[in-house]
C-alpha cells in the first residue's frame, strides 16, 4: 500500500505537493471548528462557505452531494440510500447522519466541518448531536443567515453557478468578468432549475415551517450567531470572521 501511495505521489506535480504541504502547515495551527450554516435559499451561504472552509481548513459537507457520492461509490450506506431513492422514498435521517459520520473520517475533516443544508428539522438536529456526542465532539457555532424574504427573489433569479466548483455569481451583485462564463476556468455558467420566483416561494414556506425551529433548538444551546445576510458579501465575511475569531 505504501509503495503504491509513493508511486502515486511521484506523478503529482511538485507545485501541487508544495501547495498541499503549505496548506497543511497553515492548518496545523488553526483551532478545530464544527459549524452549521442555516438560512433560506439565496441568503449567501454558498458565497461564504468556501471562504470559511479555506480560512479555517474545514471540510464542506453538502448532504445532497455526499448522498450522490455515497451512491456512486456503492458504500454500504450508499447502497441503502439508492434503494430508498429507487422506491421514491425519502432517504432516512439516520442514513444521512450515517453518511455524515462516514465523511468525518476523511483527512480533510480533521480540523472540523461546515454543514450546509442539514439539519433541516429539529429531529435531524437531535440525531446529528447524538452522533457527534458519540465521537466526543459537538457543534461549536450555528451561523444564521438572517434576511428578509423580499430581498431573496432578486438575488435568486439573478444567480449563476459554475457546476464543477460550486462558484456562484450574480448578474447584478457579483457578475463574472464575461457574462455566462466562469472567471477561473472559462467554462459556461448555468442557472439552477429551481432558481425561479415560483420555486423560491415554496422553498421559503418549507424553510420557515421546518428549519426556523432548528434555529430555536440551537439558540437554547447558546451557539447561534445571527448574521445580517442582507449586507454586501464582504461585510458578511467580516461579520463571520468576527463571530468565529
Amino acid at each position: 500500500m505504501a509503495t503504491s501511495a509513493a508511486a502515486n505521489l511521484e506523478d503529482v506535480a511538485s507545485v501541487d505537493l508544495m501547495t498541499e504541504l503549505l496548506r497543511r502547515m497553515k492548518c496545523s495551527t488553526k483551532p478545530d471548528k464544527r459549524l452549521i450554516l442555516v438560512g433560506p435559499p439565496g441568503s449567501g451561504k454558498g458565497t461564504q462557505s468556501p471562504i470559511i472552509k479555506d480560512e479555517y481548513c474545514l471540510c464542506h459537507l453538502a448532504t445532497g452531494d455526499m448522498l450522490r457520492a455515497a451512491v456512486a461509490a456503492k458504500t454500504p450506506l450508499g447502497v441503502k440510500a439508492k434503494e430508498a431513492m429507487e422506491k421514491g422514498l425519502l432517504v432516512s435521517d439516520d442514513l444521512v447522519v450515517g453518511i455524515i459520520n462516514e465523511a468525518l473520517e476523511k483527512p480533510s475533516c480533521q480540523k472540523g466541518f461546515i454543514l450546509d443544508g442539514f439539519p433541516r428539522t429539529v429531529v435531524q438536529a437531535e440525531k446529528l448531536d447524538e452522533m457527534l456526542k458519540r465521537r466526543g465532539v459537538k457543534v461549536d457555532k450555528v451561523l444564521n443567515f438572517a434576511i428578509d424574504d423580499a430581498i431573496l427573489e432578486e438575488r435568486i433569479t439573478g444567480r449563476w453557478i459554475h457546476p464543477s466548483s460550486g462558484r456562484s455569481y450574480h448578474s447584478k451583485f457579483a457578475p463574472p468578468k464575461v457574462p455566462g462564463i466562469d472567471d477561473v476556468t472559462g467554462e459556461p455558467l448555468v442557472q439552477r432549475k429551481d432558481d425561479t420566483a415560483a420555486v423560491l416561494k415554496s422553498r421559503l414556506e418549507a424553510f420557515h415551517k421546518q428549519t426556523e425551529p432548528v434555529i430555536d433548538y440551537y439558540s437554547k444551546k447558546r451557539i447561534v450567531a445571527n448574521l445580517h445576510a442582507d449586507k454586501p458579501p464582504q461585510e458578511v465575511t467580516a461579520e463571520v470572521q468576527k463571530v468565529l475569531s
Side-chain angles (χ1 to χ4, degrees):
M1 178 69 195
T3 318
S4 74
N8 291 342
L9 283 176
E10 284 171 11
D11 295 329
V12 178
S14 302
V15 64
D16 295 335
L17 281 174
M18 283 306 296
T19 305
E20 178 57 16
L21 195 61
L22 289 169
R23 188 191 72 81
R24 290 193 182 200
M25 284 168 69
K26 181 195 92 163
C27 291
S28 65
T29 59
K30 297 281 182 185
D32 292 8
K33 287 190 187 298
R34 283 159 287 273
L35 310 174
I36 293 174
L37 308 190
V38 182
S43 57
K45 303 191 302 295
T47 302
Q48 299 299 329
S49 58
I51 300 168
I52 302 168
K53 174 183 176 244
D54 292 343
E55 176 61 30
Y56 297 99
C57 304
L58 308 175
C59 63
H60 179 229
L61 304 177
T63 47
D65 296 343
M66 289 158 63
L67 268 173
R68 284 186 284 276
V71 169
K74 297 187 170 66
T75 68
L77 291 173
V79 171
K80 282 186 185 171
K82 189 177 183 216
E83 283 170 9
M85 288 169 177
E86 282 175 350
K87 288 176 187 165
L89 304 171
L90 281 175
V91 177
S92 75
D93 294 343
D94 290 321
L95 252 178
V96 178
V97 170
I99 285 170
I100 294 169
N101 188 36
E102 248 175 25
L104 295 182
E105 298 294 333
K106 293 191 297 192
S108 59
C109 294
Q110 273 179 349
K111 302 301 286 184
F113 59 79
I114 300 167
L115 254 179
D116 178 1
F118 189 92
R120 287 176 193 262
T121 66
V122 172
V123 171
Q124 290 174 350
E126 289 168 347
K127 287 180 187 292
L128 176 70
D129 281 352
E130 283 164 20
M131 181 271 283
L132 292 174
K133 191 177 178 183
R134 288 195 293 274
R135 297 183 75 94
V137 294
K138 60 182 174 42
V139 174
D140 298 307
K141 195 64 81 178
V142 175
L143 301 179
N144 176 28
F145 287 71
I147 187 166
D148 196 271
D149 286 3
I151 299 167
L152 292 172
E153 187 171 333
E154 183 180 31
R155 277 194 179 184
I156 283 277
T157 50
R159 189 161 66 173
W160 292 83
I161 309 285
H162 178 242
S164 57
S165 71
R167 271 186 293 279
S168 57
Y169 298 87
H170 192 282
S171 48
K172 179 179 175 184
F173 304 116
K177 290 174 187 148
V178 179
I181 300 294
D182 177 49
D183 287 353
V184 180
T185 62
E187 292 168 353
L189 301 174
V190 300
Q191 273 202 304
R192 291 185 183 145
K193 290 187 186 75
D194 53 2
D195 281 356
T196 65
V199 173
L200 174 65
K201 187 172 182 287
S202 66
R203 288 176 74 192
L204 283 174
E205 282 168 6
F207 174 80
H208 292 308
K209 189 175 163 190
Q210 292 185 331
T211 310
E212 279 183 350
V214 173
I215 299 166
D216 297 337
Y217 169 83
Y218 285 115
S219 294
K220 292 185 181 113
K221 296 176 182 281
R222 299 180 184 278
I223 57 171
V224 173
N226 293 310
L227 305 172
H228 297 89
D230 51 347
K231 289 182 176 177
Q234 297 88 332
E235 289 182 36
V236 179
T237 301
E239 233 183 284
V240 168
Q241 286 173 340
K242 193 174 170 188
V243 163
L244 296 182
S245 61

